């Protein structure tokens, strides 16, 4: 049986964005509703769940979804979709700003975290400041920076590379099955944040309800996390 409070020490933290640090659910649902109607996809809600955490380029190109193969059209539809999500007014999730403030409070820790998102640079550049999330000192990784998106390991390998840290010494914090698979495949430790999770996540190293359950300190040139893994009422 796992202890309610666990200590983990890592060299760096790699955060997913949507569903982990920010809640963009209303905008995502609205965007998929619009696209489902226009592309005659039927109910949009199963698509929201199926595509959560994946790059738009991959989902819109998917033959079972929108089947957009023309590159110019794909690029314009990605932009239109992300604008619809932004119009849904994404907000920071509970505990996210405070958690990142803890990391940024120490000169060494502030260079040991980054964001690895399946969204485009256009979207991330707008949503991160809009949600009052601090911009990582080392920059962030977007869908535009990798040739393969989640669930492939490339995004998190790129995130670790950006920080100059061995990915096996990193902790990936995710809410999506595709992102958790990417983190596991990359060789990182993984923490599942269930605050906004819509589907079962398999094989995380740690599980929490939300980011208020984690405290961080800088100790012996490493990030020391105290993780409260007790699940709240209604948790499985």
């Amino acid at each position: 049986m796992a202890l309610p409070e666990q200590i983990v020490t890592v060299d760096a933290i790699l955060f997913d964005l949507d569903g982990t640090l920010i809640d963009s659910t209303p905008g995502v649902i609205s965007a998929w509703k619009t696209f489902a109607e226009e592309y005659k996809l039927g109910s949009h809600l199963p698509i929201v769940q199926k595509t959560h955490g994946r790059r738009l380029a991959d989902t819109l190109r998917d033959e079972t979804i929108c089947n957009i193969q023309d590159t110019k059209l794909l690029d314009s539809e990605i932009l239109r979709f992300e604008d619809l999500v932004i119009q849904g007014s994404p907000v920071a999730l509970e505990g996210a700003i405070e958690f990142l403030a803890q990391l940024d409070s120490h000169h060494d820790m502030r260079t040991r975290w980054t964001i690895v998102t399946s969204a485009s640079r256009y979207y991330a550049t707008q949503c991160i400041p809009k949600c009052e999330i601090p911009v990582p000192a080392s920059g962030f990784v977007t869908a535009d920076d990798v040739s393969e998106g989640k669930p492939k390991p490339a995004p998190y390998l790129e995130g670790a590379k950006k920080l100059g840290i061995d990915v096996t010494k990193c902790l990936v914090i995710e809410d999506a099955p595709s992102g958790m698979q990417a983190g596991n495949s990359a060789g990182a430790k993984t923490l599942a944040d269930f605050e906004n999770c819509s589907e079962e996540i398999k094989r995380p190293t740690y599980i929490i309800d939300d980011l208020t359950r984690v405290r961080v300190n800088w100790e012996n040139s490493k990030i020391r996390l105290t993780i409260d893994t007790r699940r709240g009422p209604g948790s499985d």
Side-chain angles (χ1 to χ4, degrees):
M1 180 180 294
L3 295 173
E5 193 170 85
Q6 298 188 48
I7 305 297
V8 58
T9 302
V10 295
D11 286 1
I13 303 177
L14 310 175
F15 292 91
D16 172 50
L17 181 60
D18 293 70
T20 298
L21 294 177
I22 70 173
D23 181 8
S24 56
T25 305
V28 170
I29 291 175
S30 176
W32 272 121
K33 185 174 187 295
T34 296
F35 272 60
E37 291 172 352
E38 294 181 3
Y39 284 89
K40 298 179 172 53
L41 303 177
S43 174
H44 62 290
L45 294 178
I47 302 172
V48 172
Q49 185 172 15
K50 177 182 178 181
T51 61
H52 181 48
R54 296 174 57 199
R55 295 191 307 178
L56 268 177
D58 297 328
T59 58
L60 296 182
R61 191 187 294 118
D62 191 323
E63 293 179 358
T64 67
I65 306 178
C66 294
N67 193 24
I68 302 173
Q69 304 303 322
D70 181 82
T71 302
K72 288 185 178 180
L73 177 60
L74 180 63
D75 289 344
S76 66
E77 287 293 73
I78 289 172
L79 181 62
R80 182 165 73 99
F81 189 104
E82 291 186 331
D83 275 335
L84 289 171
V85 177
I86 293 168
Q87 289 169 23
S89 300
V91 296
L93 281 165
E94 184 177 10
I97 294 174
E98 294 79 6
F99 188 1
L100 297 180
Q102 290 180 62
L103 291 171
D104 276 351
S105 67
H106 192 284
H107 178 267
D108 292 310
M109 276 201 296
R110 68 185 301 270
T111 61
R112 295 291 190 94
W113 70 274
T114 190
I115 294 170
V116 179
T117 176
S118 291
S120 72
R121 184 159 296 275
Y122 165 79
Y123 175 89
T125 300
Q126 293 196 65
C127 280
I128 289 173
K130 185 181 181 71
C131 295
E132 300 182 350
I133 296 292
V135 177
S138 301
F140 45 81
V141 176
T142 73
D144 304 328
D145 301 316
V146 291
S147 58
E148 292 182 312
K150 304 171 188 178
K152 299 293 186 181
Y156 284 116
L157 291 173
E158 185 65 25
K161 180 181 177 181
K162 180 174 282 291
L163 297 178
I165 302 293
D166 184 336
V167 72
T168 64
K169 297 179 180 179
C170 295
L171 176 69
V172 164
I173 302 183
E174 266 282 359
D175 76 307
S178 60
M180 191 59 56
Q181 184 177 337
N184 287 332
S185 297
K189 294 182 176 67
T190 51
L191 186 154
D193 176 3
F194 275 81
E195 170 69 21
N196 208 37
C197 183
S198 60
E199 187 177 334
E200 181 184 359
I201 293 182
K202 297 179 181 178
R203 297 192 301 110
T205 314
Y206 309 97
I207 301 174
I208 56 171
D209 282 338
D210 57 57
L211 292 175
T212 65
R213 301 300 186 101
V214 186
R215 302 188 308 278
V216 294
N217 292 289
W218 183 251
E219 188 174 288
N220 298 322
S221 299
K222 292 184 181 294
I223 299 173
R224 183 179 187 270
L225 299 97
T226 304
I227 303 173
D228 182 354
T229 58
R230 290 173 297 184
R231 309 300 306 285
S235 299
D236 293 331

